[in-house]
Amino acid sequence: MNLKWYLLFFALIFFSYGANDVLKNNSPEKGKIDYELIYLINGDGDYLYHDLKGKPHLADEAKLNEALSVAKHCSNGEVFIFHQKEKSDFLFFHSDNREFYYYRNGKLFRNETYNDHGSNVLLETEAYLYNKYRTKNNHVKKYLLYFGHEIPEIIKGSSASNKMLDVDNFTSSVKRFAGNKKFNLIVLSTCHNGTPGTILKLSPFADYIIASPENLHLSNIDTKYFESLDSLKQTDFQFAKSFAETAFENLKKRTQTVVTIVLYDTQKTSKFLNRIKDKYLSIVHSLERRNNASFDYIDLNEKPELFHGNSSEGIISFYRPSRFGVYENKLSHSGWEIIVAKKSMQ
Amino acid sequence: MMTVLDEVEHTPLSENDIQSLKSLKKQLKLKYNELNGIDGFEKVSNNNLNNFADYSVQDLEPSAEYVTISVLTLVLIIIAAALLL
């Protein structure tokens, strides 16, 4: 009798797992795919913010819910959502601190948790999952959206690692997602990534980049505009511009702090970036090498003599100064943020 | 609050926490000065206080900072506040 109960118990476990697996990973009928949308949502650094009613939100959870809603609306596309959560390892046991959602034609096709412990490269597992499940049609439009804190250009006090989040490693990751086709648009919903270094390094992999050359409120850039991808008849430029403007207007409504969102045309900005590249990267590397050096971010307009050239070509800037504070009367922004040594401006 | 932070800053803390406290003190000082119209700021008007409060919270919420205060330092701040108030 005991054996029968054991067998029944294990049978129930086996079939319940199997049933869940089928339910989560059911293969709906494949419709046409016109575009791919990749969400990379970082949630393992402090993302608590308060809205204007004082209600607390976790920015990454809010963005995940928005991404899932967008995915359900994208009937003619594939949506890949990667949510990187806080680590909760116990002793030697590594928990799955990441979750992957794959939507095809608006339906959930795959949902699984995973971790990156076996990987020594930034976003390697995410790129693997994306390449595993995508339809592999190189004629579709491609969009990559990253949400998190600043992707730093300068890493201080630690040895180099291919897994560390910095602009160079992030660029390598983007290359793995891009494959043979440039992204139509990359969106960086982070602070301080509207810099010559970031845009220069990502330019080979995108036609347009949206980033903020300032602090960006934790509530992030809205992406609900992507819900209309199926119905919009816009050029890539029109779509990127409308998206940036919509996100800007929404951020203005819910914040009192500075809002700066810039659309960079990677082809048109290349002339300016290539002109200043050597000097800019020299400053960045110099700061990185000096262990005790601290640095500031400033608007390029504050030090125009540092980098010559037409910095406004190829960019569209949406800017509203902070409603209070030292910069409340700063009426415009160049669209570029540069890194300089603190106190001893070069 | 500034008094509390001053007291905690004199305890043995990590370099990370010292920098965080200095940054926090600087930000709080700026907010205080602006609220009261000190040091070149125009005083925040009464009908703008709610907006200023929102601004203060949003400006202090970490948006680019990886440097945070350790649990130990936070406990020290709470203890110092309890003793001083």
Side-chain angles (χ1 to χ4, degrees), chain A residues 49-50 191 218 254 256 325, chain B residues 34 51 55 58 61-63 66:
Chain A
Y49 73 92
H50 294 76
C191 298
L218 279 174
R254 59 176 185 261
Q256 298 288 336
Chain B
E34 186 167 8
N51 289 336
Y55 159 76
Q58 288 171 353
E61 277 170 343
S63 55
Y66 281 98

Side-chain angles (χ1 to χ4, degrees), chain A residues 312-327:
Chain A
S312 62
E313 187 178 358
I315 68 171
I316 296 179
S317 225
F318 299 95
Y319 170 75
R320 187 211 63 195
S322 175
R323 290 282 173 80
F324 300 91
V326 176
Y327 294 103

Side-chain angles (χ1 to χ4, degrees), chain A residues 94-112:
Chain A
H94 299 303
S95 64
D96 281 351
N97 62 330
R98 300 183 177 203
E99 192 156 3
F100 167 54
Y101 306 80
Y102 169 42
Y103 280 78
R104 182 186 286 172
N105 302 118
K107 300 279 189 289
L108 181 62
F109 188 83
R110 183 84 187 176
N111 173 217
E112 62 183 74

Side-chain angles (χ1 to χ4, degrees), chain A residues 243-270:
Chain A
F243 171 80
E245 191 165 17
T246 305
F248 170 72
E249 292 298 329
N250 288 340
L251 267 170
K252 267 199 320 180
K253 284 179 200 162
R254 59 176 185 261
T255 60
Q256 298 288 336
T257 45
V258 64
V259 183
T260 319
I261 294 179
V262 179
L263 169 62
Y264 302 90
D265 180 321
T266 58
Q267 190 190 12
K268 291 180 181 173
T269 52
S270 62

